[in-house]
Amino acid sequence: WTHDSWAYANNVGRQMVKEGGDTWFVLAADYVFGKILTNDLTAVVEKSGGKISGSVAHPVGTNDFSSFLLQAQNSKAKVIALGNSGGDAANAVKQAAEFGLTQSGKQRLAGLFMTLPDIRALGTKLTQGMYLSTTFYWDKNDGTRAFTKEISSRNKGIYPDAPQAGVYSAILHYAKAVESAQTDVGDKVIAAMKKIPTDDPLFGSGRVRADGRKIHPVYLMQVKTPQESTGPYDVYKIVATTPAEEAFQPMAEAGCPLVKK
């Protein structure tokens, strides 16, 4: 309902090439998730006119990224993409900061699948200047801020990210579809969910495609410096937006067997 690996890699790749990041080095986890991110990123970077200067796969649970980061540094690529998540991504970011990889301004760090909790846990001192994708940010507009105020008041002050907003958005759209179809019979509700727009205050304008994929904009974010940040969750600034119809893998390429030709 919110995002997938193709959408996030596509958004980071195409938008950063537009911003001048036309050479890339990919540091990815050595399993299916990392390989998919690498393949998706490679396709969009090359399609956008950029180049993959090199890549390396690391074992899951790696504690020492020094040799991998040295390869990234020696590649002189303008963008170093992290095709991992969780503890692996956190360790890579910490050690990249220790290496001073991005301090010269010649190389930029891009997280292909990092989240607001990741950035908050690491802090803006370590992650400042980093790029990543998201479909929801609490401080985007009045609607997202109102939702965040309500949710955080019930959740010990913790702010929502895309997964939490997505649950709310999906249930809201389901309820609208039940009302529109005047029934809760499954196939009729699904048909209604695909027929009516998914517009809401959290994700903006959107729709559900024939293959069940929800379509809405994806945003390229840059992490603020500690000086720019005014609080623990004030961590992003929006750099670019990929429009809804360009943000997700085209249905013809997705290969869903349930979609009638």
Side-chain angles (χ1 to χ4, degrees):
W1 191 264
T2 54
H3 56 263
D4 57 25
S5 59
W6 192 97
Y8 273 10
N10 172 71
N11 179 61
V12 167
R14 65 179 286 173
Q15 297 294 356
M16 290 194 71
V17 170
K18 287 181 183 179
E19 297 284 327
D22 55 3
T23 54
W24 293 68
F25 186 94
V26 187
L27 196 167
D30 191 13
Y31 70 113
V32 173
F33 173 69
K35 295 180 188 301
I36 288 174
L37 283 173
T38 300
N39 292 340
D40 289 342
L41 178 69
T42 299
V44 70
V45 166
E46 292 179 348
K47 183 179 180 180
S48 301
K51 176 185 176 183
I52 302 296
S53 300
S55 64
V56 64
H58 69 81
V60 176
T62 298
N63 291 318
D64 184 3
F65 281 86
S66 57
S67 64
F68 307 121
L69 292 171
L70 187 60
Q71 291 180 58
Q73 189 174 44
N74 290 339
S75 75
K76 299 188 179 349
K78 294 177 183 177
V79 184
I80 300 169
L82 301 180
N84 49 22
S85 62
D88 287 333
N91 284 333
V93 171
K94 290 176 184 177
Q95 290 173 43
E98 292 171 4
F99 266 67
L101 233 63
T102 59
Q103 292 175 4
S104 67
K106 295 180 180 179
Q107 292 183 300
R108 290 178 281 179
L109 206 60
L112 299 183
F113 220 84
M114 295 195 74
T115 66
L116 179 65
D118 293 330
I119 301 301
R120 184 172 180 268
L122 287 165
T124 54
K125 185 176 180 180
L126 285 178
T127 58
Q128 58 184 304
M130 185 175 183
Y131 293 83
L132 53 90
S133 294
T134 191
T135 52
F136 170 86
Y137 183 48
W138 70 270
D139 199 25
K140 184 177 182 295
N141 54 44
D142 289 342
T144 58
R145 285 187 285 271
F147 173 75
T148 297
K149 182 178 180 181
E150 179 67 24
I151 294 298
S152 63
S153 69
R154 304 183 185 199
N155 195 30
K156 301 179 181 179
I158 298 173
Y159 281 24
D161 198 18
Q164 294 76 39
V167 169
Y168 178 89
S169 173
I171 293 174
L172 179 65
H173 188 64
Y174 171 81
K176 289 178 180 177
V178 169
E179 183 178 37
S180 175
Q182 297 186 335
T183 179
D184 62 358
V185 175
D187 57 351
K188 294 182 179 179
V189 175
I190 290 171
M193 290 179 76
K194 293 177 179 180
K195 182 178 180 181
I196 63 178
T198 62
D199 303 4
D200 63 43
L202 306 187
F203 294 92
S205 299
R207 64 186 178 90
V208 177
R209 288 193 318 205
D211 62 351
R213 163 61 60 197
K214 183 180 184 295
I215 304 299
H216 47 237
V218 179
Y219 308 102
L220 178 67
M221 315 298 276
Q222 185 180 28
V223 179
K224 293 182 175 182
T225 65
Q227 293 73 30
E228 292 173 318
S229 176
T230 60
Y233 286 99
D234 179 32
V235 296
Y236 295 157
K237 47 190 175 185
I238 299 177
V239 176
T241 301
T242 299
E245 296 302 325
E246 301 172 18
F248 292 87
Q249 187 175 30
M251 195 160 61
E253 297 176 15
C256 177
L258 300 180
V259 177
K260 295 179 180 179
K261 301 294 184 182

